[in-house]
Amino acid sequence: MTLKHMPIRWKITILSFGVVLFSILIGGIIVIGNTIESKEDALGEHAMITGRTVANLPDIKEYLTEPAGWTKINPIVERIRTVNDADYIVILNMNRIRYSHPVADQLGTVSSGKDEGPAFAEHSYTAKAQGEMGTAIRAFVPIMSEDHEQIGVAIVGNILPSVGEILNDIKKEILFVLFLTALFGVIGSWLLARHLKDQTFRLEPYEIVQLLVERTATFQAMNEGIVAIDKDGSISILNDKAKQILDIKGDWIGEPIQSVVRETKLLKVLQEGAPVYHEEMRVGDKLIMSTRVPIRVENEIVGAVAVFQDRTEATKLAEELTGVKAFVDALRVQNHEHLNKLHTIAGLIQLDKKEQALEFVFDASEKQEELSRFLITNMKDYSISGLLLSKVSRGKEIGIEVSIDETSELKSYPPLLDKHDFVLILGNLIENAFHSFHGIKRAQKWVDISIKQDDTICAIAVEDNGKGIPKEKKNHIFEKGYTTKGEGGSGYGLYLVHKTVEKGQGEIEVISQPGEGTSVLLTFPMNLKEEKG
């Protein structure tokens, strides 16, 4: 098994245990250093006490001034050295002649030590020196006579133990500490590894790297824009398609989402935790279909993600197709009407009613031409004209009289809307008016349409004498998915109308009386400036 594919728990355990051992090594060096320093201090203090004891002995003071006094002083000093567990004690007179020494041959000889000088000036101190026996901690104590005159120096030396000897003295403590450290180190490493394993969904590091690479490649390959934010509202994911749709450049990872999309609703999802599916919204001059959901980890919201598509071109294409379909429907209805008219004319001719046949032809032709001419003159473009013409023709086909107010006019669109929005509004409102006659019998069925505008406002009104809307349903008609058409309805028509009114910053008013009819009035301001994202 290679190190790359070694389970993360083993890796973390080994790494943690290595850190523990390294910490023990560093700590051990520090502890040993402190132990040696403490040992030096203890040996120096012990040597100083022993030196003062020797320097104050009357026999030492008495024989130190005699020639060959070492014969009497050395035995006394050796007994004291043994009792006080000193490695050596040297007594010097003021001429630095040795009166005691562990080596008998050195008695009566002159000492040449370099660190003895301050002791002959009545100073007591300790010093460390390297000798044949090893490193020694030595205490220097002046010997004073009864007349308080210095007559010599007592030197007490203790050999400093080696590092090995010090470790041998505390080996039980070291082994005990090592055992406890290793035990808790292994247990702690294992618990840490298990916790990290759980936090990473039991994935190995190379698997996490692979997932990250795959995720990045997947996000970049998708045809939908993806934007994700963390719990602080900073961007964590922003794929190339999102940059293209939002028309931004550069790397925005880590930046606040508001700095990229001012109209963002991701922060609302982050705060409320409620997902929003398939909502149309306008970002700048583009119409997008967006789904926004919160990101949860163990029931805690840690971010939010939006997946969206640019529906601007698709919507325009759909509306263009809707306009074409409206013309096709109008032609189909007109063809049906012309067949009926031809049959009528043929019948009148067969009955030898030529004048009535001619009058019928002129009357039908004049009405059709008048309506077409009115729509072409008063409506801004052919999409609206074609739609209205098709609805008038369809109304005739199903027995509903569709009339367009003769003062109607549409020369320009509100700032935030276009012809596709008007096709959507008029198409859905008129179709709903047609549906209001479903299941009821009336001698006269009519739908009135009015479009008026001036410099400040544009108003659309669609009124019918259908079955009306019950009060308990009136508050729900603009909800997404709500329909009164049964299985044949999608519940999206009036919902889209409502969203379009919101986009145009307009207002909508519905007046309805059950059994009498419904009137829908939409108003849009004409003096707004379109906001760009």
Side-chain angles (χ1 to χ4, degrees):
M1 180 183 297
T2 63
L3 181 62
K4 176 182 177 181
H5 293 88
M6 182 181 292
I8 187 173
R9 183 176 297 177
W10 294 7
K11 290 181 181 179
I12 296 176
T13 301
I14 294 173
L15 177 62
S16 301
F17 193 65
V19 172
V20 171
L21 289 180
F22 181 75
S23 301
I24 291 175
L25 177 62
I26 299 299
I29 293 173
I30 296 174
V31 169
I32 292 173
N34 291 335
T35 302
I36 293 174
E37 185 177 355
S38 300
K39 190 71 173 177
E40 289 179 2
D41 294 340
L43 290 176
E45 185 177 354
H46 180 67
M48 183 63 70
I49 293 173
T50 303
R52 286 172 178 169
T53 301
V54 173
N56 286 307
L57 289 177
D59 291 341
I60 299 297
K61 295 179 181 181
E62 180 182 352
Y63 298 127
L64 186 59
T65 58
E66 295 181 2
W70 54 79
T71 56
K72 295 179 180 178
I73 289 178
N74 197 56
I76 297 172
V77 170
E78 282 299 308
R79 287 194 298 271
I80 295 175
R81 183 186 67 80
T82 303
V83 171
N84 288 274
D85 195 25
D87 288 306
Y88 62 85
I89 299 176
V90 177
I91 303 297
L92 304 177
N93 66 4
M94 295 303 291
N95 295 321
R96 300 195 180 193
I97 297 175
R98 298 184 178 97
Y99 274 66
S100 71
H101 198 279
V103 180
D105 294 342
Q106 296 294 323
L107 294 174
T109 61
V110 178
S111 173
S112 59
K114 297 180 180 180
D115 54 353
E116 301 165 354
F120 287 96
E122 300 184 10
H123 290 289
S124 298
Y125 59 93
T126 59
K128 182 168 65 173
Q130 182 70 35
E132 296 179 357
M133 301 174 63
T135 302
I137 304 298
R138 304 195 297 175
F140 296 85
V141 180
I143 302 174
M144 309 298 292
S145 67
E146 297 297 333
D147 297 330
H148 300 289
E149 293 183 359
Q150 185 173 359
I151 57 176
V153 173
I155 303 174
V156 180
N158 289 310
I159 302 300
L160 188 65
S162 64
V163 175
E165 291 172 334
I166 294 175
L167 293 177
N168 187 61
D169 291 339
I170 58 174
K171 62 181 179 181
K172 292 183 179 179
E173 291 84 352
I174 292 176
L175 291 175
F176 181 70
V177 171
L178 284 175
F179 172 75
L180 288 181
T181 305
L183 177 63
F184 286 107
V186 170
I187 295 175
S189 300
W190 182 82
L191 292 175
L192 175 62
R194 188 177 70 172
H195 175 71
L196 291 178
K197 188 75 172 178
D198 293 338
Q199 291 296 310
T200 56
F201 300 100
R202 311 194 70 77
L203 294 174
E204 299 300 328
Y206 70 92
E207 293 176 317
I208 296 175
V209 172
Q210 183 177 350
L211 282 176
L212 178 62
V213 173
E214 292 175 353
R215 186 202 70 165
T216 303
T218 302
F219 286 158
Q220 299 301 343
M222 293 180 68
N223 197 40
E224 290 81 16
I226 299 177
V227 178
I229 59 174
D230 58 23
K231 61 182 179 181
D232 298 321
S234 300
I235 298 174
S236 57
I237 298 174
L238 181 66
N239 70 348
D240 292 339
K241 189 64 177 181
K243 293 180 180 180
Q244 178 184 343
I245 294 175
L246 299 175
D247 194 22
I248 60 175
K249 301 182 184 299
D251 185 10
W252 292 86
I253 302 299
E255 297 294 329
I257 183 65
Q258 302 97 316
S259 60
V260 179
V261 187
R262 288 186 298 175
E263 305 91 340
T264 181
K265 296 183 180 180
L266 265 181
L267 294 176
K268 183 178 180 181
V269 174
L270 184 65
Q271 295 168 359
E272 299 179 358
V276 179
Y277 298 101
H278 309 300
E279 181 183 39
E280 281 192 349
M281 57 183 295
R282 184 171 289 275
V283 177
D285 57 355
K286 293 183 178 180
L287 181 67
I288 67 173
M289 178 72 75
S290 173
T291 293
R292 304 178 296 278
V293 296
I295 302 173
R296 299 179 185 270
V297 176
E298 296 181 353
N299 293 325
E300 180 183 356
I301 298 177
V302 297
V305 61
V307 180
F308 51 92
Q309 292 180 324
D310 186 355
R311 301 298 294 273
T312 306
E313 294 301 325
T315 301
K316 289 180 179 179
L317 181 59
E319 298 299 347
E320 294 289 351
L321 292 175
T322 301
V324 172
K325 183 176 181 297
F327 280 113
V328 172
D329 288 341
L331 291 174
R332 179 181 57 80
V333 173
Q334 286 182 7
N335 180 60
H336 184 71
E337 287 182 356
H338 286 316
L339 287 175
N340 291 334
K341 291 174 182 178
L342 287 174
H343 292 158
T344 301
I345 294 170
L348 290 173
I349 292 175
Q350 289 177 3
L351 294 173
D352 198 24
K353 301 291 183 180
K354 298 178 182 179
E355 293 182 1
Q356 288 87 341
L358 188 61
E359 183 180 351
F360 180 81
V361 170
F362 287 149
D363 182 62
S365 176
E366 184 179 355
K367 287 183 179 179
Q368 186 66 29
E369 288 180 4
E370 182 181 350
L371 176 60
S372 298
R373 187 167 51 251
F374 168 78
L375 291 175
I376 293 174
T377 303
N378 289 42
M379 296 297 113
K380 178 177 175 62
D381 54 52
Y382 295 121
S383 296
I384 306 299
S385 300
L387 176 68
L388 294 176
L389 186 60
S390 69
K391 296 303 180 184
V392 171
S393 300
R394 174 167 166 73
K396 292 179 180 179
E397 186 180 23
I398 59 179
I400 301 173
E401 181 184 355
V402 179
S403 61
I404 301 174
D405 188 349
E406 60 184 11
T407 61
S408 293
E409 185 181 44
L410 180 63
K411 295 301 184 181
S412 62
Y413 295 110
L416 301 180
L417 302 177
D418 55 25
K419 66 179 180 180
H420 310 289
D421 298 314
F422 267 62
V423 167
L424 184 148
I425 291 172
L426 289 169
N428 280 289
L429 290 182
I430 296 172
E431 283 299 321
N432 277 352
F434 286 165
H435 184 266
S436 69
F437 296 100
H438 183 71
I440 65 172
K441 293 182 179 181
R442 285 208 196 287
Q444 259 190 327
K445 300 178 181 179
W446 53 263
V447 174
D448 287 342
I449 304 169
S450 173
I451 305 174
K452 297 182 180 181
Q453 67 178 175
D454 55 27
D455 294 337
T456 60
I457 198 169
C458 175
I460 300 174
V462 177
E463 187 175 359
D464 63 72
N465 67 334
K467 58 186 175 183
I469 305 172
K471 291 183 178 179
E472 65 273 11
K473 295 182 179 180
K474 185 177 177 182
N475 295 331
H476 302 286
I477 59 175
F478 296 115
E479 295 178 1
K480 182 167 64 174
Y482 183 82
T483 180
T484 59
K485 301 178 182 178
E487 295 182 357
S490 65
Y492 274 86
L494 289 180
Y495 168 75
L496 293 176
V497 170
H498 186 259
K499 297 300 289 186
T500 304
V501 172
E502 286 184 345
K503 182 176 73 172
Q505 299 185 18
E507 296 181 357
I508 185 168
E509 181 182 4
V510 179
I511 301 174
S512 183
Q513 291 293 333
E516 296 184 12
T518 302
S519 175
V520 181
L521 174 64
L522 279 63
T523 56
F524 298 98
M526 293 295 294
N527 51 4
L528 289 177
K529 291 184 178 180
E530 184 175 1
E531 295 183 1
K532 298 289 183 181

